[in-house]
Amino acid sequence: MISFSDRLASAVKKKKTPVLVGLDPRWAQLPTQFTDGKDKSNPDVVAAAFEDFCYAVLDVVAELVPAVKPQAAFFEQYGPSGMKALANVIAYAHKKGLLVLFDGKRNDIGSTASAYAAGLLGAGGQSPWGADALTVSPYLGDDSLTPFVETAQERGAGIFILVKTSNPGGAMLQDLLVTRSPSMGEEGSLEPLYRVVGRYVNDLSVQSRARGISAANPYGDVGAVVGATWPEQLTELRQVMKQTWFLVPGYGSQGGGARDVAGAFDENGLGALINNSRGILFAFRSDKYSNQYGESNWERAVEAATRDMVASLAAETSAGRLDF
Amino acid sequence: MISFSDRLASAVKKKKTPVLVGLDPRWAQLPTQFTDGKDKSNPDVVAAAFEDFCYAVLDVVAELVPAVKPQAAFFEQYGPSGMKALANVIAYAHKKGLLVLFDGKRNDIGSTASAYAAGLLGAGGQSPWGADALTVSPYLGDDSLTPFVETAQERGAGIFILVKTSNPGGAMLQDLLVTRSPSMGEEGSLEPLYRVVGRYVNDLSVQSRARGISAANPYGDVGAVVGATWPEQLTELRQVMKQTWFLVPGYGSQGGGARDVAGAFDENGLGALINNSRGILFAFRSDKYSNQYGESNWERAVEAATRDMVASLAAETSAGRLDF
């Protein structure tokens, strides 16, 4: 079985870009062809519209990017029918040759974490949801993360653990200066919580390399979520997390630009996926693309926004070296 | 609209116990009447068995306890059909007059947190899932919690934020000694992360009381998850979180006993819900109940384990005062 890290590296090299398209369907922003005359109070109707919209987006982006990231919340919002639509969207993305990162930020204590991992991780019939990777929250600590790591490795899947999130409020806990409790051993110097988590994630990623990742690929199967909105910390974390894939949200609508994420990559343009959700899905509503494309050409706006992001990252970061 | 906190206080007083029954169905532990001759590789089959089993459990416990806590992971593990079963179980619990705490440990950045809150919180047709309350993870900080608090209050629902979890590994981050970063203002003295989170949760809970909670009820709509496996910290947190409902996991199979959770209650026996999942659901498999009941009387074992837990808490904690 090929490891997640190797599959991801291959996909990034093949598509020559680290662009990750986030699938965040929002009823009020869908092109009206999906919503006109429909009953938005009926979750089945909304779920079906989300499914059709995502299929159309996948038809456009499948040739352009290595992976997509459905955001579970937008589907779960509409109940069981929303979750069924999510499963169908994941299956369709796989059919189009894309890797799928399930953005659920799940976690729980050990045996419950195992249930999440068993259900979510592993494509090709290995799990009901079929995700190639899952985002995971670290607050419950090491024994809550281990079941995800183990299941991921058994199934050629990966996880991305939250380290430094893109939202302003993320600083509330993540930027606190911490030291080890005396009961946990020697006290060290103070450092931000996100760095403690980051180093731990990198250790897990290094360990994961023992399970058959190719020597040419420096990254393991345990990645980190680090927001584009914190360029300094992104660069700092890359220095202490040299063997960890970064999933970088916050590009575009949250204010991060191509230069802000440059520090996420290694010199070969590998090591990071840069996510864009609304900026691609709803490009036809943006100042930049609405005049040229308009609603009736919303798919062309998706394509243009994706191609422009690919070009910006190639111009402003080492991702440009993926071309060679 | 009656607040969650008032509805919970009424339910605890009416049933005269703080016992919360966790619904964690596991295929391998179900009574064989639900599994014999069935294809466990088919998620639809497993989901249907989980649904039938949970209905039967609810039929037994509805008269005995104020609330139940379905664990989303065990349903999500079986894909969309598992999630459909979860929705049906929630609806059935409501029909039986129980409050439902959806244990999903969800969270994400602001607008995505809003989607989770909109979909999950609010019974009686206010949301597709219909939860009276939801467990939420705090790693993403204040602006990730606000959408849950606001939606909960609009809908007479509540949330329980992870503070000190029951698993050993929870200590890894939660027990780190922290201080505020210089960029966030004056540095304070070192204290464990769980206490920083706990104080913040209590502040949110106090604020929530401005929205119509009865004066006789000291608790707000924002609760905390604090494990029974940390009796000292439970008592310590109660001192700094006097207006916060505690959801206490870890009783029974994780090793916490009635004396360990005594510190969670106020002098009237209010302020905490004590969860037991496996110890009740699968009591017929335990040393304590298997001889007397056996598999064919598994429902009587559920009833006995529930009644015994009610009695233990009444004998060993101030929950005994709920009788008066």
Side-chain angles (χ1 to χ4, degrees), chain A residues 218-234:
Chain A
Y219 303 103
D221 294 323
V222 181
V225 175
V226 184
T229 48
W230 310 96
E232 279 178 41
Q233 288 85 348
L234 190 62

Side-chain angles (χ1 to χ4, degrees), chain B residues 96-157:
Chain B
K96 303 293 284 188
L98 290 157
L99 293 176
V100 178
L101 281 52
F102 187 111
D103 197 357
K105 300 189 172 64
R106 300 293 193 254
N107 207 353
D108 212 298
I109 64 170
S111 61
T112 309
S114 297
Y116 277 128
L120 289 160
L121 288 171
Q126 294 184 99
S127 69
W129 294 100
D132 296 288
L134 172 69
T135 54
V136 173
S137 178
Y139 190 73
L140 290 115
D142 45 13
D143 60 5
S144 75
L145 299 169
T146 307
F148 289 100
V149 176
E150 288 177 354
T151 302
Q153 294 220 283
E154 285 161 19
R155 300 182 182 178

Side-chain angles (χ1 to χ4, degrees), chain A residues 123-140:
Chain A
Q126 295 183 98
S127 70
W129 295 100
D132 296 287
L134 172 70
T135 54
V136 173
S137 178
Y139 191 73
L140 289 116

Side-chain angles (χ1 to χ4, degrees), chain B residues 54-310:
Chain B
C54 288
Y55 290 168
V57 170
L58 291 168
D59 286 340
V60 175
V61 303
E63 295 300 307
L64 306 175
V65 301
V68 292
K69 180 179 77 63
Q71 170 49 258
F74 294 106
F75 297 90
E76 192 167 278
Q77 183 175 1
Y78 295 94
S81 43
M83 293 306 270
K84 177 71 183 151
L86 172 56
N88 291 342
V89 167
I90 292 170
Y92 192 79
H94 280 146
K95 202 171 129 190
K96 303 293 284 188
L98 290 157
L99 293 176
V100 178
L101 281 52
F102 187 111
D103 197 357
K105 300 189 172 64
R106 300 293 193 254
N107 207 353
D108 212 298
I109 64 170
S111 61
T112 309
S114 297
Y116 277 128
L120 289 160
L121 288 171
Q126 294 184 99
S127 69
W129 294 100
D132 296 288
L134 172 69
T135 54
V136 173
S137 178
Y139 190 73
L140 290 115
D142 45 13
D143 60 5
S144 75
L145 299 169
T146 307
F148 289 100
V149 176
E150 288 177 354
T151 302
Q153 294 220 283
E154 285 161 19
R155 300 182 182 178
I159 63 170
F160 289 89
I161 298 171
L162 302 186
V163 173
K164 178 77 176 135
T165 60
S166 58
N167 58 319
M172 178 187 173
L173 300 188
Q174 297 158 28
D175 284 8
L176 287 174
L177 297 177
V178 308
T179 184
R180 286 179 188 281
S181 148
S183 68
M184 295 173 72
E186 203 175 320
E187 288 195 38
S189 55
L190 289 172
E191 61 179 339
L193 179 62
Y194 68 77
R195 204 194 299 152
V196 173
V197 177
R199 255 204 318 267
Y200 179 72
V201 170
N202 195 62
D203 288 347
L204 289 178
S205 199
V206 170
Q207 288 162 31
S208 77
R209 292 183 43 77
R211 303 264 292 255
I213 291 169
S214 68
N217 173 7
Y219 302 104
D221 295 322
V222 181
V225 175
V226 185
T229 48
W230 310 98
E232 280 178 40
Q233 288 84 349
L234 191 61
T235 305
E236 171 203 335
L237 285 169
R238 172 50 74 208
Q239 298 312 309
V240 295
M241 301 177 71
K242 290 187 186 294
Q243 298 189 276
T244 304
W245 281 103
F246 284 2
L247 189 176
V248 183
Y251 183 97
S253 57
Q254 288 182 58
R259 283 183 199 181
D260 293 322
V261 302
F265 298 99
D266 66 26
E267 68 279 13
N268 301 312
L270 282 175
L273 289 171
I274 313 299
N275 183 72
N276 192 346
S277 304
R278 281 170 281 178
I280 287 177
L281 300 189
F282 308 120
F284 74 98
R285 295 191 182 278
S286 70
D287 290 347
K288 184 167 177 191
Y289 299 103
S290 60
N291 283 340
Q292 194 175 352
Y293 298 103
E295 183 152 358
S296 59
N297 287 312
W298 72 271
E299 286 150 299
R300 290 185 57 208
V302 166
E303 181 178 346
T306 307
R307 288 190 187 279
D308 287 349
M309 182 172 167
V310 170

Side-chain angles (χ1 to χ4, degrees), chain A:
Chain A
M1 174 170 302
I2 304 174
S3 72
F4 171 71
S5 180
D6 279 346
R7 294 195 296 135
L8 180 56
S10 295
V12 169
K13 285 178 193 168
K14 183 180 167 195
K15 300 294 176 64
K16 298 178 180 170
T17 185
V19 170
L20 174 68
V21 175
L23 300 175
D24 294 21
R26 295 162 195 255
W27 178 263
Q29 293 187 51
L30 292 186
T32 52
Q33 71 182 77
F34 295 97
T35 59
D36 264 359
K38 294 193 179 151
D39 176 9
K40 70 174 179 183
S41 71
N42 182 338
D44 294 347
V45 168
V46 175
F50 281 9
E51 199 174 314
D52 291 340
F53 171 70
C54 289
Y55 290 169
V57 170
L58 292 168
D59 286 340
V60 175
V61 302
E63 295 299 307
L64 305 176
V65 301
V68 293
K69 180 179 76 64
Q71 169 50 260
F74 294 106
F75 296 90
E76 191 166 279
Q77 183 174 1
Y78 294 94
S81 42
M83 293 306 269
K84 177 70 182 151
L86 172 56
N88 292 342
V89 166
I90 292 170
Y92 192 78
H94 280 146
K95 203 172 128 192
K96 303 292 284 187
L98 290 156
L99 292 176
V100 177
L101 280 54
F102 187 111
D103 197 358
K105 300 187 173 64
R106 300 293 193 257
N107 208 352
D108 212 298
I109 64 169
S111 62
T112 309
S114 296
Y116 277 128
L120 289 160
L121 288 171
Q126 295 183 98
S127 70
W129 295 100
D132 296 287
L134 172 70
T135 54
V136 173
S137 178
Y139 191 73
L140 289 116
D142 45 13
D143 60 6
S144 74
L145 299 170
T146 307
F148 289 102
V149 176
E150 288 176 354
T151 302
Q153 294 222 285
E154 284 162 18
R155 300 182 182 179
I159 63 169
F160 288 89
I161 299 171
L162 301 186
V163 172
K164 178 77 177 134
T165 60
S166 59
N167 58 318
M172 179 187 174
L173 299 188
Q174 297 158 28
D175 285 8
L176 287 173
L177 296 176
V178 307
T179 186
R180 288 180 186 281
S181 147
S183 68
M184 295 172 72
E186 202 176 319
E187 287 195 39
S189 56
L190 289 173
E191 61 180 339
L193 180 62
Y194 68 77
R195 204 194 298 154
V196 173
V197 178
R199 253 202 319 266
Y200 179 72
V201 170
N202 195 62
D203 288 347
L204 289 178
S205 199
V206 169
Q207 288 162 30
S208 76
R209 293 182 43 77
R211 302 264 292 256
I213 291 169
S214 67
N217 173 7
Y219 303 103
D221 294 323
V222 181
V225 175
V226 184
T229 48
W230 310 96
E232 279 178 41
Q233 288 85 348
L234 190 62
T235 306
E236 171 203 334
L237 286 169
R238 173 49 74 206
Q239 297 311 309
V240 295
M241 301 177 71
K242 289 187 185 292
Q243 299 190 274
T244 304
W245 281 102
F246 284 3
L247 190 176
V248 183
Y251 183 97
S253 57
Q254 288 182 58
R259 281 181 201 185
D260 293 323
V261 301
F265 298 99
D266 65 27
E267 68 279 11
N268 302 312
L270 282 175
L273 289 172
I274 313 300
N275 182 72
N276 192 347
S277 304
R278 282 170 279 177
I280 288 176
L281 299 189
F282 308 120
F284 74 97
R285 294 191 183 278
S286 70
D287 291 346
K288 185 168 174 190
Y289 299 102
S290 60
N291 283 340
Q292 193 176 350
Y293 299 104
E295 184 152 358
S296 59
N297 287 311
W298 72 272
E299 286 152 298
R300 290 185 57 208
V302 166
E303 181 179 345
T306 307
R307 288 190 186 278
D308 287 349
M309 183 173 167
V310 170
S312 292
L313 291 173
E316 309 256 13
T317 79
S318 61
R321 299 194 193 139
L322 293 167
D323 248 335
F324 299 99

